[in-house]
Amino acid sequence: MHFDILTLFPAMFAGPLDESIIKRARERGLISIDIHNIRDYSTDRHHTTDDYPFGGGRGMVMKPEPIFATVEAVLAEHAAPPPDWPRQRAYVPPGSAVVLLTPQGRLLTQGVAGELSQMQHLILVCGRYEGVDERVRLHLATHEISIGDYVLTGGELPAMVLLDCVTRLVPGVLPSETPVEESHYAGLLEYPQYTRPAEFLGWSVPEILLSGHHAAVARWRRCQSLLRTLLRRPELLERADLTAKDQRQLERLRDALENGQTPCE
Ligand code: ADE
């Protein structure tokens, strides 16, 4: 999978993309990343990339021309448009997506990351200042993504979050058994994890995890997963992948909590 990242601050990406799992995925050729400075595609003498908003108001808005020019340069390396393609529209071939990072976008969830991981090529456009000229959204972006309901100073950190989250879903990046049980996979939060020592500062690991009884461990973990989700993120339960057994378990958990009992023991 190939990522092109378009930004006014390329230096922000040094570090996070050169460590750990992302670094190894790059070295093994599972993903590749190119960073492009939008300013390099601005054609005026001062390499302007922003301007005052029409109609007045606060702050500066990122100009459309340098963003369109950068995306077009990147796309030109990947696929030629069909002969009848209208000149004013960037040709985004199947398997590629132009993703604008914006707090107005679709919320990035594990499901959205899963969809994006099916693409071969993601072009991530990082907005800055007070916003990006609306024509980028209307006529260039194929996706708009937000990483949460808060506003950051720009799309660079969101682009890194998206890249990280999508990369770990690319086949071969993680050991094959990893993702199925972790938080958000079946729409539930993950169960508590422990490692050695079995006792630390007087706090011991739940007995069942030391029992070697795999079926009982699996039951305890499922119960904990349901309990955690019920206590911390109950709204996730509405869309989670639950069996009839899970539903019954949830009922028991609700009863136990109401009666002040400790569930999942
Ligand atoms: N740019 C600024 N804030 C953002 C957010 N929450 N998600 C995506 N892009 C952003």
Side-chain angles (χ1 to χ4, degrees):
M1 180 166 202
H2 183 68
F3 294 90
D4 283 295
I5 302 177
L6 279 55
T7 174
L8 288 171
F9 299 96
M12 283 183 74
F13 292 86
L17 306 183
D18 303 315
E19 295 290 340
S20 182
I21 292 175
I22 305 292
K23 175 185 176 188
R24 252 176 296 135
R26 295 175 81 174
E27 286 170 353
R28 291 163 61 208
L30 297 169
I31 63 159
S32 49
I33 304 171
D34 286 323
I35 316 269
H36 307 269
N37 191 338
I38 296 169
R39 195 172 300 284
D40 295 343
Y41 292 82
S42 169
T43 50
D44 70 298
R45 210 152 51 92
H46 301 290
H47 290 287
T48 316
T49 54
D50 62 329
D51 210 332
Y52 296 98
F54 276 126
R58 208 164 48 91
M60 303 292 270
V61 176
M62 282 176 78
K63 291 164 70 58
E65 309 97 302
I67 299 178
F68 271 73
T70 321
V71 171
E72 276 159 11
V74 161
L75 284 169
E77 285 179 23
H78 285 262
D84 55 345
W85 195 259
R87 226 199 64 75
Q88 74 275 23
R89 285 200 85 94
Y91 175 65
V92 184
S96 295
V98 179
V99 181
L100 177 65
L101 283 312
T102 160
Q104 300 183 18
R106 184 178 174 202
L107 205 58
L108 179 64
T109 60
Q110 198 60 42
V112 171
E115 282 171 33
L116 293 174
S117 73
Q118 305 299 310
M119 312 291 294
Q120 284 128 47
H121 178 203
L122 293 182
I123 300 171
L124 308 181
V125 181
C126 306
R128 275 270 147 180
Y129 307 112
E130 298 305 311
V132 174
D133 187 284
E134 184 68 3
R135 286 161 290 190
V136 170
R137 192 183 71 74
L138 290 174
H139 306 298
L140 188 62
T142 57
H143 296 62
E144 293 175 64
I145 299 286
S146 163
I147 62 159
D149 292 338
Y150 42 82
V151 181
L152 298 164
T153 53
E156 282 76 10
L157 291 170
M160 289 182 229
V161 168
L162 186 150
L163 185 147
D164 188 286
C165 183
V166 168
T167 295
R168 57 195 297 293
L169 300 179
V170 170
V173 169
L174 296 182
S176 54
E177 72 276 10
T178 312
V180 274
E181 285 194 328
E182 69 189 8
S183 289
H184 296 296
Y185 261 87
L188 295 177
L189 302 184
E190 196 188 19
Y191 49 78
Q193 297 270 29
Y194 292 88
T195 186
R196 278 182 286 190
E199 190 169 318
F200 170 65
L201 299 178
W203 297 302
S204 23
V205 171
E207 200 72 39
I208 196 144
L209 297 179
L210 311 176
S211 69
H213 191 318
H214 296 301
V217 168
R219 273 197 303 278
W220 181 85
R221 285 181 165 167
R222 189 68 182 176
C223 184
Q224 289 288 344
S225 229
L226 291 165
L227 177 63
R228 285 223 150 161
T229 314
L230 180 63
L231 292 174
R232 296 176 185 208
R233 299 288 305 278
E235 79 282 6
L236 293 180
L237 291 170
E238 282 155 38
R239 285 197 287 144
D241 226 348
L242 299 179
T243 62
K245 203 167 149 201
D246 290 329
Q247 300 283 9
R248 287 196 297 276
Q249 176 85 279
L250 267 176
E251 278 315 303
R252 282 198 294 278
L253 289 175
R254 288 193 181 97
D255 287 345
L257 289 171
E258 259 175 41
N259 298 326
Q261 293 160 349
T262 329
C264 303
E265 296 285 294

